Amino acid sequence: MVAPLLFSFSDSEASHTLVVRVGNKLHPEDIPQFCQPFHLQKGVQVRRLRVSLRDSRPDIMYEFGIDVRPGRGRYRNTNIVILSPKFQLHNKSSFQLQFAQRCFATTLVCFWTQ
């Protein structure tokens, strides 16, 4: 789901950077950490979100992409910021995996190996 989050920098003298973190309800018993600050400059950036667990297990990590684009026409003075999750597949099997995003797959090609 993509929904806009509207905000404005009220102090023109302040640094125009943002930080984000995972919400408290995703891991209610653990401690979400803020990511490193990022500037609203044109281009694509990647940041990592960390959730510190209260027990001795390793932290949970989430990676997301940040795409900043200038608005067009009436919104030319607006920066459009798109946050999108980044996924990694860890193949722990002895088989070769093939994958495609559903919305980008135009043909289905299947390979079977014996």
Side-chain angles (χ1 to χ4, degrees), residues 31-102:
I31 307 164
Q33 306 293 322
F34 283 96
C35 74
Q36 294 293 317
F38 57 91
H39 292 276
L40 292 181
Q41 58 193 16
K42 184 179 173 184
V44 177
Q45 305 171 56
V46 176
R47 286 291 183 273
R48 183 174 288 164
L49 300 176
R50 178 185 310 250
V51 178
S52 299
L53 304 179
R54 294 189 190 271
D55 54 10
S56 59
R57 293 180 296 158
D59 292 349
I60 297 172
M61 305 295 274
Y62 296 96
E63 288 191 359
F64 68 99
I66 306 157
D67 185 14
V68 180
R69 302 176 189 176
R72 289 186 249 156
R74 179 180 183 181
Y75 303 102
R76 66 183 173 275
N77 294 328
T78 302
N79 285 327
I80 299 169
V81 181
I82 300 169
L83 303 178
S84 58
K86 301 291 181 189
F87 298 98
Q88 292 181 355
L89 296 177
H90 295 278
N91 185 8
K92 294 184 177 183
S93 73
S94 60
F95 298 98
Q96 182 178 358
L97 300 178
Q98 290 187 339
F99 66 95
Q101 284 186 278
R102 183 177 178 187

